[in-house]
Amino acid sequence: MRLIDDWRTVLRKAWSVKFNVAATLFGAAEVAVAIWKPEGMPNGVFAGGAAAVSIFANVSRLLAQKELHGTDK
């Protein structure tokens, strides 16, 4: 396995990466809610958020992004 040549740029600017980080945070929040069981917090709220953000990550992976192609027009 080999990294792409512009991996640093992709890591900083790609929306798919940003959405995946958000999905990870939602997933971690769901685990925290399951452990601490705060009052009034329904089960699955953060899991639903993580699922929605994951969908955005997959869609954004397929879209061309000007920031990644060096054209700021």
Side-chain angles (χ1 to χ4, degrees):
M1 182 168 49
R2 190 175 93 96
L3 292 175
I4 59 174
D5 292 334
D6 60 344
W7 67 269
R8 286 184 181 96
T9 302
V10 172
L11 192 60
R12 278 193 334 268
K13 295 185 177 183
W15 280 102
S16 59
V17 173
K18 294 173 185 180
F19 283 132
N20 278 318
V21 169
T24 301
L25 294 174
F26 274 113
E30 184 64 30
V31 171
V33 166
I35 291 171
W36 290 302
K37 299 180 181 91
E39 247 181 76
M41 178 65 68
N43 291 334
V45 170
F46 291 108
V53 173
S54 292
I55 291 169
F56 291 134
N58 289 315
V59 170
S60 68
R61 183 67 184 103
L62 301 175
L63 300 174
Q65 297 176 37
K66 291 179 189 178
E67 299 88 7
L68 298 177
H69 295 289
T71 57
D72 293 324
K73 295 179 183 177

